[in-house]
Amino acid sequence: MDVTKRSFRDTLPALASALLQCDVVALDTELSGLHKTSAEAAAFDDLPQTRFEKLRSSARTFAVVQFGVATFTWDPVINKYVSKAFNFPIFGVTGKQLFDLERRFLVESGAVDFLIQNNFNFDETFRNGIPYVRYDEELRARAAIDAAEDPSNHVIPIEEKDREFVEEAMTQIKEWSNNGNDPSVSISADNGFKRRLIHQEVRQRFLGFLGTRSHGRDVVVSRLTEQERARASNGEDEYKNKLHAELEYLIGFRRVIEMISKSRKPVVGHNMYLDLCQTLQKFCYELPLTVNEFKNLCNSTF
């Protein structure tokens, strides 16, 4: 089954069912490269720590462009394993600059040539690739969201040349608010900057009891109902909720790794030392510095 970012969410229940029923899970990655220099290629006499350092460097340098998951379930009726395969194109979308998720990676020409010769579709990866966010990246992004302020609440300093206009407008609004029977009052402004100052000062000075809207060259000020005041007071929460929702979407493919981890099914693969390094580095945590720590991380994840 070929999965894209559009079908990703709808595919997760089928994957969950396959993981529940299966006996073993196989993983495979397609990568943008294998090693930066020939010195980082695996050697027969590599010590365990040396081999891990080479693979760690590769996993931190090259991108996962496709991730394959296949479940195998023994069928006693036909005396064979039944496989269900899922192919996920992967592409690290960055989202808001606030999240600090910019992805940079190298491309090895030999690896790309190999993929092309095997009919790999790079257009599918870059157009429909599923995003991902590691746990530590998520924590940083959520902290940035919690510290963020709604840009619409940014206070613009009032310059001296505009002060008389603003104060006259505020006086007019205050008189209307205290004594007027009309449902609203209109303030004329000859440019967009002055209109924005009116919106800002009404929001700050009248503490959410008055609302504003633009109407042509005018700013229309009206009294807010109790329901409208509640919505206005929740504006900051709404802004942050949208950011949290976007980050949840960007977490994307990590949910697949979490499902495999929670299944506690045996995980297998062909020559998969690098696959494991890439999987943990891209979708879980920054790889540790030692091979023993890496083994502990693998055993706790799968």
Side-chain angles (χ1 to χ4, degrees), residues 275-287:
D275 294 308
L276 286 173
C277 287
Q278 280 282 12
T279 298
L280 295 173
Q281 173 67 32
K282 293 297 188 298
F283 311 122
C284 298
Y285 304 96
E286 181 80 19
L287 286 176

Side-chain angles (χ1 to χ4, degrees), residues 145-153 231-242:
I145 291 172
D146 291 340
E149 294 184 4
D150 189 337
S152 65
N153 292 336
R231 281 202 301 267
S233 65
N234 291 329
E236 186 76 14
D237 290 338
E238 182 179 354
Y239 168 71
K240 292 184 177 181
N241 287 341
K242 288 180 179 178

Side-chain angles (χ1 to χ4, degrees), residues 81-93:
Y81 279 101
V82 177
S83 175
K84 295 181 180 178
F86 303 82
N87 294 317
F88 301 90
I90 305 295
F91 185 61
V93 180

